[in-house]
Amino acid sequence: MSLLLIMVLIGTLLSACGGSNTATNPPKEEPTPSENTSQTEPAKENTTKTPKDGGTLTMGTFSDIVTVNPVFQSDTSSGDVSKLILAQLYDLDRQGNVVAEPWSLAAEPPQISEDGKTYTVKLKPEAKWTDGTAVTADDIIFTLNTVRNPEVGSPGISAYDKVDSVEKVDEQTAKIQLKQVYAPFIYSLTLTLAPSHILKDVPPKELKQHEYGTDPAKTVTNGPWKWSEWKQKQHITVDADPNYWGAKKPHIAKVIYKIYADQNTEVQALIKGDVDTISAIPVTQLAAVQKRDSLRVVLAPGPMYEYLGFNFEPKNFKDNFSPFEGQKTRQAIAYALNRQGMVDNVLKGTGQLMNAPFLPGSWADPGEAAVNYEFNVEKAKQLLAEDGWTPGTDNILTKDGKRFSFELQYNAGNSRREQISSIVQQNLKDVGIEVTTKGIDFAAWVDQHLNTGKYQAVLMAWSLTTPDPDGESTFSSKYYPPAGQNSGWYKNEKLDNLWVKGYSVVDQGERKKIYEEVGKEISTELPYVFLYQYGTPQGIGPRVNFAEEDKPEPSLAYGYMYRMINWWVE
């Protein structure tokens, strides 16, 4: 969330796998052939020039940040800024492997015990915060213990509540002991750290209100750039840190993260040259960008899927009546939605349908084991009738004296979701369901509705930040708000157990069988109507330069900023 509610701190939203003695990465989810190729035009890539130091790069967006505090971060915009100002313990390479890069805090790959339950991590001794304090094992211990503390209410808890203890071996070394085998844990190590020396004395329940993460003057960082300014709903500014500890320094002196009212305004800023790159060109504006010889476009399906999410908490509805309780009702909604029409007419064929929370063509894709809901209005009406819904005097369905009417929320300024919400509204009206659509400012939406689970239905997307298919944090009843991402209050004990089975073994063949069961169960039960996998075309202006090995990587959640420390501007 992207949100795309995207997690930088956590390796979930669908996380990953582990190894034995030294760090190894599990086989990566293999994309389909069409996903493998970026449509960036090679002739337009500046790959032969000599890097230059200095200058300003301006990034465009239509969503403000919420917080850069790693403990509470759960949205794309906050993640974008964090990528600049906070170093990760480990990073992902282009193939999705966990690696210790020159700009990573870790000095070497993690050492993993034979039983897969102990991870030893060693930090670079030169790593420092912007106030000159060394980054130490205390920061690892504080971050992990804080995120896994239910009192804190961190959305990343599911990636770390399998941790039994974190021990300080020496100033630069921490030993992490797991309670059990947790296959995705190596990806949980691609986390950013919170500063222990700043936050350790703050009571857990007061951490979210602390100025760290929202006030640049009170937010020490440890990345290539430091946070200089935040004018809400206008821009964020970061400057290259002259005291940055890394051996590899950033070429770009200043990055401005400029916030526009909507995506169309953002595209016009790119065309005019007011911004140097944007990460999500609407399909309706794609041709206008592509015809500009000076602009480059990176276009490929990404690790993202969009969905219509139901809320099962009665308190969010009038008279404590949730219309989504019936399985047949949710299935009827799936049949009533013209998903293929959305792909063809809104995405212009740049997406593909999904029936479960696993990317098509990946090793965990359940294929035909998942139920496919073709567009079938009559089938939808039949199921609604079987579930007790009858037409009212205004042709809106009723049940137990309650009208089938609900509010569908999405983030304002997102042109794709504006169009999709209108299609949902019309499709469901055709079967007797009244939908009121509501666009909300992204930062407020995340903070006041998604993180608290206060909505009736949402049109949203998840960005899968690692190659692992584990979705416990999103669908398990262990992770209701605020300490978790199951914001729709969905409960299914069978699925709860299947997610645990899926990450408790490391053999990919065994895990695949389990995720086939997950795919069948979740596509039958439908806590979401899974819509489609999609990509967000990235636009890049003529001033931006990067070598071939540093070019954007659309298969990664934050691939539009891939190895940005090596980019430069004319």
Side-chain angles (χ1 to χ4, degrees):
M1 0 253 76
S2 315
L3 195 348
L4 284 169
L5 284 179
I6 302 178
M7 307 305 294
V8 168
L9 164 67
I10 54 177
T12 67
L13 266 213
L14 291 81
S15 275
C17 273
S20 51
N21 285 329
T22 56
T24 58
N25 290 279
K28 180 173 167 35
E29 293 188 359
E30 290 300 326
T32 58
S34 64
E35 294 176 349
N36 231 353
T37 306
S38 164
Q39 295 179 18
T40 307
E41 297 180 31
K44 293 184 181 180
E45 288 192 7
N46 302 315
T47 58
T48 58
K49 298 178 181 178
T50 302
K52 296 179 181 179
D53 292 339
T56 299
L57 182 142
T58 303
M59 301 174 62
T61 182
F62 61 98
S63 300
D64 205 347
I65 68 172
V66 178
T67 178
V68 297
N69 184 336
V71 174
F72 299 105
Q73 193 182 112
S74 64
D75 65 283
T76 306
S77 295
S78 299
D80 287 346
V81 175
S82 287
K83 285 285 184 183
L84 301 170
I85 62 177
L86 289 168
Q88 293 183 192
L89 187 58
Y90 290 94
D91 286 272
L92 294 178
D93 67 12
R94 196 176 294 279
Q95 289 71 43
N97 299 308
V98 176
V99 292
E101 297 280 17
W103 44 87
S104 304
L105 294 171
E108 59 188 38
Q111 298 296 311
I112 306 174
S113 63
E114 290 285 350
D115 64 4
K117 293 195 288 187
T118 304
Y119 289 69
T120 303
V121 175
K122 183 175 287 292
L123 294 164
K124 292 185 175 79
E126 64 270 22
K128 288 183 173 58
W129 297 96
T130 45
D131 61 1
T133 304
V135 178
T136 70
D138 292 329
D139 297 313
I140 298 176
I141 294 168
F142 172 78
T143 303
L144 295 188
N145 286 341
T146 299
V147 174
R148 68 192 183 100
N149 181 353
E151 288 188 0
V152 173
S154 171
I157 189 171
S158 69
Y160 305 103
D161 61 0
K162 286 81 176 172
V163 172
D164 184 51
S165 62
V166 192
E167 173 190 345
K168 183 176 181 178
V169 178
D170 57 43
E171 284 299 305
Q172 275 77 47
T173 310
K175 182 179 290 186
I176 305 165
Q177 181 68 43
L178 303 184
K179 301 173 185 176
Q180 63 176 88
V181 171
Y182 179 52
F185 190 71
I186 191 170
Y187 290 104
S188 300
L189 295 178
T190 60
L191 78 160
T192 48
L193 301 180
S196 173
H197 67 289
I198 300 293
L199 300 174
K200 64 182 179 180
D201 296 325
V202 180
K205 292 183 179 180
E206 297 177 17
L207 276 169
K208 193 170 185 179
Q209 285 70 47
H210 195 274
E211 298 93 336
Y212 183 84
T214 57
D215 184 345
K218 297 180 180 179
T219 303
V220 299
T221 57
N222 55 22
W225 293 270
K226 60 180 182 178
W227 197 9
S228 303
E229 183 182 36
W230 180 18
K231 289 195 174 181
Q232 292 190 5
K233 298 185 181 180
Q234 296 182 47
H235 67 263
I236 293 120
T237 302
V238 303
D239 292 288
D241 182 4
N243 300 314
Y244 173 56
W245 54 268
K248 177 70 181 175
K249 311 295 182 184
H251 295 299
I252 298 169
K254 184 188 296 288
V255 180
I256 298 174
Y257 195 70
K258 197 168 183 180
I259 302 156
Y260 291 88
D262 54 55
Q263 286 180 301
N264 294 329
T265 308
E266 190 185 355
V267 169
Q268 291 307 307
L270 176 68
I271 291 173
K272 292 176 184 177
D274 292 340
V275 300
D276 297 301
T277 181
I278 62 176
S279 62
I281 304 170
V283 174
T284 54
Q285 297 290 317
L286 190 56
V289 176
Q290 288 176 319
K291 73 179 183 181
R292 302 277 175 160
D293 290 338
S294 62
L295 300 178
R296 291 160 283 167
V297 174
V298 180
L299 173 60
M304 295 163 284
Y305 72 85
E306 199 130 54
Y307 65 90
L308 169 63
F310 303 117
N311 200 306
F312 297 90
E313 172 52 65
K315 292 179 182 178
N316 288 308
F317 299 86
K318 183 180 179 181
D319 299 325
N320 290 326
F321 176 79
S322 171
F324 306 124
E325 288 297 332
Q327 183 193 86
K328 288 184 177 181
T329 293
R330 300 192 298 276
Q331 292 175 343
I333 291 174
Y335 279 116
L337 297 181
N338 187 356
R339 299 186 300 149
Q340 189 61 54
M342 296 173 187
V343 171
D344 295 341
N345 300 316
V346 178
L347 301 184
K348 305 297 183 185
T350 60
Q352 52 186 325
L353 297 183
M354 291 178 60
N355 298 312
F358 310 110
L359 293 183
S362 68
W363 67 264
D365 182 1
E368 294 182 358
V371 181
N372 178 50
Y373 295 87
E374 296 181 350
F375 181 45
N376 189 328
V377 173
E378 293 308 313
K379 180 70 172 177
K381 290 180 178 179
Q382 174 193 332
L383 288 169
L384 288 165
E386 290 177 3
D387 214 19
W389 293 98
T390 58
T393 55
D394 58 357
N395 292 321
I396 299 300
L397 297 173
T398 63
K399 185 177 184 180
D400 299 330
K402 309 295 192 305
R403 296 174 80 251
F404 201 154
S405 178
F406 66 89
E407 179 184 83
L408 176 63
Q409 297 181 0
Y410 62 92
N411 55 310
N414 186 312
S415 63
R416 181 186 67 257
R417 289 189 189 144
E418 288 173 355
Q419 294 177 75
I420 296 297
S421 68
S422 295
I423 294 172
V424 171
Q425 185 180 49
Q426 184 59 54
N427 284 167
L428 296 188
K429 181 181 179 181
D430 292 341
V431 297
I433 300 172
E434 181 180 66
V435 179
T436 303
T437 62
K438 185 176 183 179
I440 304 174
D441 172 74
F442 185 71
W445 189 43
V446 173
D447 188 52
Q448 299 170 23
H449 297 274
L450 299 177
N451 288 348
T452 59
K454 293 180 180 178
Y455 58 83
Q456 295 183 350
V458 290
L459 184 61
M460 199 171 71
W462 285 123
S463 179
L464 312 187
T465 57
T466 76
D468 195 86
D470 175 42
E472 185 186 40
S473 70
T474 318
F475 299 104
S476 173
S477 60
K478 290 193 294 184
Y479 299 111
Y480 290 147
Q485 296 172 288
N486 183 358
S487 62
W489 308 90
Y490 174 65
K491 183 173 183 178
N492 181 322
E493 291 183 4
K494 181 178 179 180
L495 269 178
D496 287 355
N497 293 329
L498 284 172
W499 290 121
V500 175
K501 285 179 64 178
Y503 63 61
S504 297
V505 295
V506 294
D507 179 78
Q508 191 176 94
E510 289 300 310
R511 296 186 78 199
K512 179 174 176 58
K513 294 176 184 177
I514 296 167
Y515 292 129
E516 284 182 357
E517 288 188 65
V518 171
K520 181 178 180 180
E521 179 68 15
I522 204 166
S523 63
T524 301
E525 271 286 295
L526 291 182
Y528 296 171
V529 174
F530 300 95
L531 299 177
Y532 43 73
Q533 178 196 14
Y534 70 102
T536 53
Q538 179 180 5
I540 305 172
R543 298 177 59 251
V544 183
N545 295 268
F546 40 76
E548 177 68 19
E549 62 268 22
D550 301 318
K551 69 181 181 181
E553 178 47 62
S555 69
L556 299 177
Y558 287 90
Y560 46 84
M561 300 172 68
Y562 185 68
R563 298 167 68 98
M564 195 167 153
I565 191 173
N566 292 331
W567 295 10
W568 72 99
V569 292
E570 293 296 336

